[in-house]
Amino acid sequence: MNRLREMFAGIRARDVAFMGGYALYLVFGYMSFESPTVLTSLGQTGAHVESLFLVAVVAARLVVYLVMMAVARRASNRSSSLTAIVVCAGAAATGFVVTRMAFQFAGYVPLEALVPWLVFGGLFFGAGDALINLLWARFCGTFDLRQAYLFVLLSNVASLVVYFLVTLLPSPAMLPVGAELFFASAWFCKKCLDARAPIAEEYSAPVFKGALSALWRPMLGTAILSFMSGLMLQVSARQDIPLATFQQTALVTQAVVIVALLLPALFVKSRPSLGSVYKVALPLSAAGFLLLPLIWNGVGGLANACAQLGTLVASIILWCMLANAVHDTKLPAALLFSCSLVCTNGAQMAGTLVGMLNAHTLGQGDIA
């Protein structure tokens, strides 16, 4: 526990509580993008509607990250955290309002008539998600490697607890709760950024090229796993797996893996070996595909959960490596993180599209 004391040394208890905002953001992501929890307010939407919503979300993320790559070199950290939070909250609020309107009309018009509105709402969901993700990335860039690793893992542990409580709520409450979690996370993020000494970000072409040369391999590996994750989610979505079973399987498997990653960082004195931890991701993700011919999508979607776990582990490690690079090089966090997130989200989009267009033709014999 000395590692926790070192991490929070000199930080007020109120600021530590604000750091929990990242966990709230993760819960919002679980509800909106990694499961159709938010869409349960509509009733049975079907895999096709959920897929279109996810495609719209990822497409909006890609646009935001590409724009940030273009402007981050010049803007650096001159934009205030308040301005960024207002833009982020405005985009997300538009998405919530449009989606809420679609939910209100669900009982009066056919679902097909609401699909364009859900896609439109998904675009703003994705834009708000990308912006708040970059704001939390800026905050993580103020930590060294061990602090960033502990912060991300502790946030993941807390998020699973909150997500479990959210799954106990009735379906009509999911969208309002998702909105509350998002806006609370955005407010906490501003408080965190105000409490930490800002990094004097400065773009340097040679330093930027050096950072990319050091990070391209984990970026590529995580992108490959993101493709697998997007594909597997579409395959599983077309099987008869109850949402509650899907949620419970994901909660249990993620909790086991996160705790396994957290314990060594708490009790081992040496700097965390992210390379060693990263090697855990590939067998986990591969297990999903190796299990699929045997169990198809039985056992509560265990094969899908394994594929998602590989992406989760790889994404955590890559996030910490990026934060450490921002901390050491003083490059703009928005630039470095956007480069990585364009790769992983582009791969997820490709996997989602391949799965959406072909999953209905795949049977257990085809996979075997």
Side-chain angles (χ1 to χ4, degrees):
M1 292 303 170
N2 290 333
R3 307 293 170 267
L4 291 178
R5 296 191 186 97
E6 293 172 3
M7 177 181 175
F8 297 119
I11 303 177
R12 295 174 299 180
R14 184 182 65 176
D15 295 330
V16 173
F18 288 147
M19 290 182 187
Y22 185 61
L24 300 183
Y25 163 69
L26 294 175
V27 177
F28 165 76
Y30 296 151
M31 295 175 63
S32 305
F33 314 129
E34 297 184 23
S35 73
T37 302
V38 164
L39 295 181
T40 54
S41 299
L42 266 178
Q44 294 295 325
T45 58
H48 183 65
V49 175
E50 296 166 9
S51 298
L52 289 175
F53 179 81
L54 182 59
V55 167
V57 167
V58 179
R61 285 180 188 162
L62 286 171
V63 171
V64 171
Y65 294 140
L66 288 171
V67 171
M68 291 307 300
M69 287 173 60
V71 303
R73 300 181 183 185
R74 303 177 181 86
S76 191
N77 64 345
R78 286 193 291 271
S79 60
S80 68
S81 59
L82 178 59
T83 301
I85 290 294
V86 169
V87 174
C88 170
T94 304
F96 283 115
V97 169
V98 171
T99 307
R100 178 63 177 173
M101 290 174 59
F103 287 2
Q104 289 293 105
F105 288 106
Y108 306 100
V109 298
L111 180 61
E112 292 75 14
L114 299 178
V115 170
W117 291 99
L118 290 175
V119 171
F120 187 63
L123 291 172
F124 284 96
F125 262 90
D129 175 70
L131 291 170
I132 195 173
N133 201 21
L134 292 178
L135 287 169
W136 279 114
R138 182 192 294 184
F139 174 67
C140 286
T142 64
F143 290 132
D144 62 26
L145 181 60
R146 178 182 288 278
Q147 290 173 330
Y149 187 68
L150 286 173
F151 171 71
V152 172
L153 288 179
L154 289 171
S155 296
N156 273 272
V157 171
S159 70
L160 293 176
V161 176
V162 178
Y163 183 49
F164 171 73
L165 298 176
V166 167
T167 60
L168 303 179
L169 299 175
S171 295
M174 292 304 177
L175 185 64
V177 168
E180 292 172 5
L181 290 172
F182 183 92
F183 293 124
S185 177
W187 177 250
F188 287 169
C189 184
K190 181 187 182 302
K191 291 296 185 181
C192 288
L193 289 170
D194 293 342
R196 298 287 290 180
I199 294 179
E201 296 178 337
E202 181 179 356
Y203 173 73
S204 169
V207 175
F208 178 57
K209 291 178 181 178
L212 288 183
S213 66
L215 292 169
W216 75 267
R217 290 180 181 84
M219 285 183 187
L220 176 61
T222 307
I224 293 171
L225 295 178
S226 296
F227 175 87
M228 296 177 178
S229 174
L231 175 62
M232 281 297 301
L233 187 59
Q234 294 304 307
V235 172
S236 293
R238 283 162 172 75
Q239 310 306 315
D240 188 19
I241 304 175
L243 176 61
T245 303
F246 182 89
Q247 292 170 334
Q248 292 165 8
T249 303
L251 278 168
V252 172
T253 53
Q254 287 190 31
V256 171
V257 171
I258 294 299
V259 171
L261 296 177
L262 178 61
L263 291 179
L266 290 176
F267 298 106
V268 177
K269 294 182 179 180
S270 61
R271 176 187 173 105
S273 175
L274 297 186
S276 299
V277 179
Y278 191 85
K279 294 176 183 177
V280 176
L282 184 58
L284 282 172
S285 188
F289 288 89
L290 295 175
L291 287 171
L292 192 58
L294 301 177
I295 65 175
W296 192 225
N297 275 292
V299 199
L302 180 61
N304 174 70
C306 288
Q308 303 301 325
L309 283 178
T311 309
L312 172 68
V313 174
S315 298
I316 289 175
I317 301 308
L318 179 58
W319 181 275
C320 294
M321 295 174 74
L322 290 165
N324 186 58
V326 169
H327 183 272
D328 290 345
T329 64
K330 313 306 180 188
L331 287 168
L335 174 61
L336 206 53
F337 275 86
S338 291
C339 289
S340 174
L341 291 168
V342 161
C343 297
T344 55
N345 279 268
Q348 183 186 4
M349 172 72 87
T352 300
L353 291 175
V354 170
M356 184 173 66
L357 297 175
N358 298 283
H360 65 283
T361 66
L362 297 177
Q364 186 170 4
D366 299 324
I367 295 294

